[in-house]
Amino acid sequence: GKKASVYVEAMGKIDERMYVVRSGKRLMIFDPNICDVLLEKISDWEISDITILLTHEHYDHITGVKWLLEHFRATVICSCGCKRILDNPIVSVQDYYDVLIPPEEKEYYVGHDLLKAEGYVFDVHFTFESDYSFIWQGIRVECVAAPGHSIGGAIYTLDETYVFTGDNLVNGSKAITRFPGGSRKDYLRVTVPIIHNLKEDSIIFPGHGEMENLKELLQYI
């Protein structure tokens, strides 16, 4: 609607999606990646306030957090489970490197110093244990912890309609629960019911792949 606009930036061959929601001079950024165009936009839009929301701790979804915090003051929000992993960056970065990154992509990540795991730390300013909601620019933001793909997974819903699912629901493949910290049991017990409880006409902004109606993506649970 008129309240906000959403911009998408896909990163590399693994197609990790950063979503930038803009309302006036404020931004809400889901899973930031490194994007020089975003710096220009923030300047052009005269942005004065940035909120960063993390869908989970896997480092293809956090590559731009430290970079953004070096350029701007921003508030970082994630689940308690996500912060627990981020507080031990050797686990959050190094362990997933060979699993997540295809060989042809490795040069990109080396170039961004992500493999110096002990150096990839940043402040998290607010965490939630199971669920939390707040109003942002007149939009109701609901945050729900959603383990399964990872320990620190979360699903964020804006005005009960626009849903940012991270990798617990992606477009084009079944949710992966085999990575370190993943749990098929938690996915089925906690996260699948959360997804099924979303409104039928929800628009899903997944961690990978194009945005789509919930109905179309239920096949990938």
Side-chain angles (χ1 to χ4, degrees):
K2 288 181 180 172
K3 279 185 190 171
S5 310
V6 180
Y7 302 84
V8 184
E9 182 71 32
M11 178 183 72
K13 291 188 178 64
I14 54 171
D15 191 41
E16 185 277 326
R17 298 282 168 135
M18 166 173 68
Y19 298 102
V20 179
V21 182
R22 177 191 171 206
S23 179
K25 296 192 174 184
R26 302 182 77 186
L27 291 185
M28 191 155 50
I29 304 177
F30 293 86
D31 293 358
N33 54 46
I34 295 167
C35 173
D36 291 326
V37 175
L38 180 59
L39 289 188
E40 292 167 27
K41 294 275 193 197
I42 289 172
S43 174
D44 292 346
W45 293 332
E46 300 178 338
I47 296 301
S48 59
D49 182 83
I50 298 174
T51 302
I52 295 170
L53 296 164
L54 303 180
T55 65
H56 64 301
E57 67 275 14
H58 289 168
Y59 83 83
D60 54 324
H61 292 261
I62 62 173
T63 54
V65 178
K66 194 172 165 186
W67 172 81
L68 263 179
L69 291 174
E70 283 166 2
H71 288 90
F72 305 101
R73 262 203 348 216
T75 302
V76 179
I77 299 174
C78 68
S79 73
C80 292
C82 182
K83 184 178 187 304
R84 278 200 303 275
I85 304 296
L86 291 173
D87 284 344
N88 183 357
I90 296 297
V91 175
S92 69
V93 178
Q94 209 77 355
D95 280 5
Y96 300 136
Y97 175 64
D98 285 321
V99 183
L100 282 175
I101 309 305
E104 66 273 16
E105 291 279 290
K106 291 198 167 154
E107 201 175 303
Y108 172 93
Y109 289 94
V110 170
H112 283 114
D113 283 343
L114 288 176
L115 298 187
K116 295 175 186 164
E118 61 282 351
Y120 200 79
V121 275
F122 52 82
D123 287 334
V124 171
H125 306 98
F126 186 85
T127 59
F128 53 93
E129 188 66 57
S130 55
D131 58 276
Y132 173 70
S133 63
F134 61 96
I135 303 296
W136 180 85
Q137 296 293 82
I139 297 168
R140 181 177 172 79
V141 182
E142 295 175 72
C143 318
V144 183
H149 171 73
S150 70
I151 289 170
I155 290 175
Y156 300 97
T157 305
L158 275 51
D159 280 348
E160 297 188 344
T161 305
Y162 304 99
V163 187
F164 298 81
T165 55
D167 290 356
N168 275 314
L169 184 59
V170 299
N171 191 348
S173 61
K174 296 269 188 192
I176 295 169
T177 55
R178 67 177 182 272
F179 292 152
S183 166
R184 186 80 190 154
K185 190 173 157 193
D186 284 349
Y187 184 69
L188 294 172
R189 181 178 60 87
V190 180
T191 298
V192 169
I194 291 168
I195 293 168
H196 280 306
N197 281 332
L198 295 170
K199 278 167 55 176
E200 203 178 63
D201 60 351
S202 295
I203 307 295
I204 306 298
F205 295 87
H208 302 264
E210 298 295 326
M211 58 182 278
E212 187 52 91
N213 294 323
L214 174 63
K215 275 184 291 199
E216 298 296 321
L217 295 188
L218 287 177
Q219 62 182 301
Y220 298 121
I221 282 183

